Every structure is written in C-alpha cells, then in structure tokens.
Amino acid sequence: KQEVTQIPAALSVPEGENLVLNCSFTDSAIYNLQWFRQDPGKGLTSLLLIQSSQREQTSGRLNASLDKSSGRSTLYIAASQPGDSATYLCAVRGSQGNLIFGKGTKLSVKP
Amino acid sequence: NAGVTQTPKFQVLKTGQSMTLQCAQDMNHNSMYWYRQDPGMGLRLIYYSASEGTTDKGEVPNGYNVSRLNKREFSLRLESAAPSQTSVYFCASSEYDRGSGGELFFGEGSRLTVL
C-alpha cells in the first residue's frame, strides 16, 4: 500500500530564505506527483504536476523535483515571502490511479 | 473563472439527518472526486466518477452515496449523518480519468458538523 510522508510537519523561516519541503513515498510505481498549496479554511490549489518520466518542474519561484527510484520529491521555494505561508501537500498517483496524499507541511514565513 | 463550485460551504446537522453536498465544475472535465479531510488523517477519497452515470468507491465510502447525473455535476449524499462524518469535504475534477494521471482541481470545501 502506497504511503506518502511529508517532513517536517511544520516549518518557520524568516522572509527571504530559500527553503526545501520534502515528500517521500513507499511505492516507486507512480504515474505522477502533484504539489498543492492550502490556505487556512480554503481548498487546495495545484502548484506543480510532475509526470513519472520527468525529473523536475518549475513555476516562478517554485521548483519541484522527482526521484522515483528513491521515492522522493522536493519542493524548493526561492526567496520566501510572508504570502507563501500555507500548508503544502504532496500527492502521488499510483498504479491503480488513486491519488494518495501526504499530511502536509505547514509553512510560516516571518516578515 | 469559477472552476469547481461546492455548496453549501457550511452545514450543521443533527445525528440521523440527511443532506446532499453539491458540486459543479465548468472546465468540461470528465473525472470528478469527493474527498474528506480530517485532522491528522490527510485527504481520503470517498467516491470517484470517471464519467456521467459511472461511480466507483474510494477508500472511505461507507455512509455515503453519490450521483453523477451529467458531466458538470457530482453530488454527495449522507442518508443518516453520524458524528464520525464531521469533516471538511472537497470536490475535485480532472480532465482525464485517474488512470491517465491528470492534474486535479479542487473546490473551496464544505465544512460539515454533525452533532
């Protein structure tokens, strides 16, 4: 059974810092991996989708990498801003098509 | 620019009452999903629909029914609500079926409390 783990559960950094959020999964047979952002009391906003054949995807200050063989993905946020404060979730789509979510990393960027 | 729209946003029920959560998407997507999000549990799939008239059970389907009457709308019904169904419910849609790995788009959520 696929399990997705995100470490750390919470992270607090000063504004301007570059940071990395981690996501690991137990079954490397995946279709893709998606990173989401969730603001308090809101839905999930898709940030980046990495297909299993890809190594990374970039959008603005965000860069997500995927290493299927080691079961790991990282989300890199450059020059963090207070507006980046949110919970970040990764989700893995496995061989049966189901999307399995991690429990998220709650990020706080201090001005 | 609506995307995925859920109603109601908030609801309080008494144990045993029934209600339906509505979801509509305007992106012409084929696949639609219902998830629940609980503290410490993450998001879990309740039901999935690949197309109009088809539905499949997810990880936690007990106590729920769904209906996909057309391509736009996917409703979730609680026939006899229980306190264990207190949760935040999210509807999502995707252009492709789940086997093809398309990107998921979520609604804002429906916060349900069962007393």
Side-chain angles (χ1 to χ4, degrees), chain B residues 6 14-16 24 26 34 53 67 108 112:
Chain B
Q6 294 182 229
K14 294 181 180 179
T15 297
D26 62 3
W34 275 107
S67 178
E108 292 277 286
L112 175 65

Side-chain angles (χ1 to χ4, degrees), chain B residues 39-84:
Chain B
M41 299 293 291
L43 278 97
R44 292 178 293 171
L45 181 66
I46 305 172
Y47 269 96
Y48 161 72
S49 171
S51 62
E52 177 183 340
T54 67
T55 60
D56 286 312
K57 293 179 179 179
E59 185 182 354
V60 287
N62 291 343
Y64 305 96
N65 288 303
V66 290
S67 178
R68 181 88 182 270
L69 295 177
N70 55 57
K71 193 171 186 178
R72 287 189 66 247
E73 297 170 303
F74 189 34
S75 61
L76 178 72
R77 182 162 179 83
L78 287 69
E79 292 290 351
S80 178
S84 61

